[in-house]
Amino acid sequence: MSQATTTTGGPTLSTQSRLGRRLIQLYVGLALYGVSSALLVQAGLGLEPWGVLHQGLAALTGLSIGVVSIIVGAAVLLLWIPLRQRPGLGTVSNVFVVGIAMDGTLAVVPQAHGLAVQIPLLLAGILLNGAATGLYIAAVFGPGPRDGLMTGLHRRTGRSIRLMRTAVEVAVVVTGFVLGGTIGIGTVLYAVSIGPLAQRFLRVFAVPPASDGSTVVAGGQPQGAIIRP
């Protein structure tokens, strides 16, 4: 990877190398997000909000949770049309890569039994989810379908993003729980830790500016990101 140095001493990348790094971050981040979600499922101590819905729908339909994740992601993406949201490469990739990686991981990682195994698996899933989120968002290829829904509702209603996120995720969790999704200590721990974890990993995985003078687009939390692929 070709690399230069700015006058302030910070690293820069050529435009081609920078694009390559962003693409790698995008797909590694999305794949790891699917892996982390599968670890939370196998830990059995509670899922992230959308995971509760996916698990509930999987129990209802008999489909795998990964396939349900793809279907829900595609359905949410359709809601972008009336909200006038524009998807990016990362948005479309999110729909498929996360679900495929989740089902692949569930096929090889057995369900945990006993707190001595469940707790470490839960913590590993949450930590990996934070790293995956930082990788994916820092690549700056567009928000995930669910994030775009929340930002779109924010723009159309004038309500805060926090309010829109809370309203959507409460509805998602309640619906998923009624359908048979798992809520537990893992759900609470995920809710309080994912924001700080993702924010830290956003800084770790920020892509350096291009050496041709291009502007930095991943120096912090991108505009409109809600820390959820």
Side-chain angles (χ1 to χ4, degrees):
M1 178 180 294
S2 61
Q3 188 171 42
T5 304
T6 64
T7 55
T8 58
T12 63
L13 301 177
S14 70
T15 301
Q16 184 176 6
S17 296
R18 188 170 180 277
L19 177 60
R21 170 171 168 171
R22 289 174 58 211
L23 285 169
I24 291 171
Q25 284 195 198
L26 170 65
Y27 289 106
V28 170
L30 291 176
L32 291 181
Y33 196 98
V35 172
S36 67
S37 294
L39 295 182
L40 295 179
V41 171
Q42 299 301 60
L45 295 176
L47 304 179
E48 75 277 19
W50 285 92
V52 177
L53 177 63
H54 298 156
Q55 189 181 53
L57 288 172
L60 177 67
T61 63
L63 298 173
S64 72
I65 191 170
V67 170
V68 169
S69 174
I70 292 172
I71 294 172
V72 171
V76 171
L77 191 55
L78 291 176
L79 296 177
W80 282 36
I81 297 174
L83 295 175
R84 299 180 181 178
Q85 293 282 93
R86 293 184 178 181
L89 174 63
T91 310
V92 178
S93 298
N94 180 292
V95 172
F96 299 99
V97 176
V98 172
I100 292 171
M102 185 185 300
D103 274 352
T105 304
L106 289 172
V108 298
V109 176
Q111 185 174 6
H113 297 284
L115 291 179
V117 179
Q118 289 175 289
I119 291 176
L121 196 61
L122 170 67
L123 297 178
I126 293 175
L127 181 62
L128 184 59
N129 193 281
T133 302
L135 274 166
Y136 163 72
I137 294 179
V140 197
F141 277 109
R146 298 154 185 84
D147 278 349
L149 173 63
M150 296 173 195
T151 55
L153 289 171
H154 156 66
R155 293 192 182 102
R156 291 300 296 269
T157 65
R159 304 291 185 178
S160 70
I161 288 180
R162 178 174 295 182
L163 176 61
M164 291 296 96
R165 174 176 181 170
T166 300
V168 170
E169 293 195 344
V170 166
V172 163
V173 168
V174 171
T175 302
F177 178 71
V178 170
L179 293 175
T182 304
I183 296 177
I185 185 62
T187 309
V188 177
L189 186 59
Y190 180 93
V192 300
S193 62
I194 191 59
L197 280 173
Q199 192 66 49
R200 178 169 183 82
F201 282 112
L202 272 169
R203 292 193 291 268
V204 171
F205 296 123
V207 181
S211 57
D212 60 0
S214 299
T215 57
V216 179
V217 296
Q221 183 176 343
Q223 183 74 17
I226 317 181
I227 315 301
R228 159 79 201 183

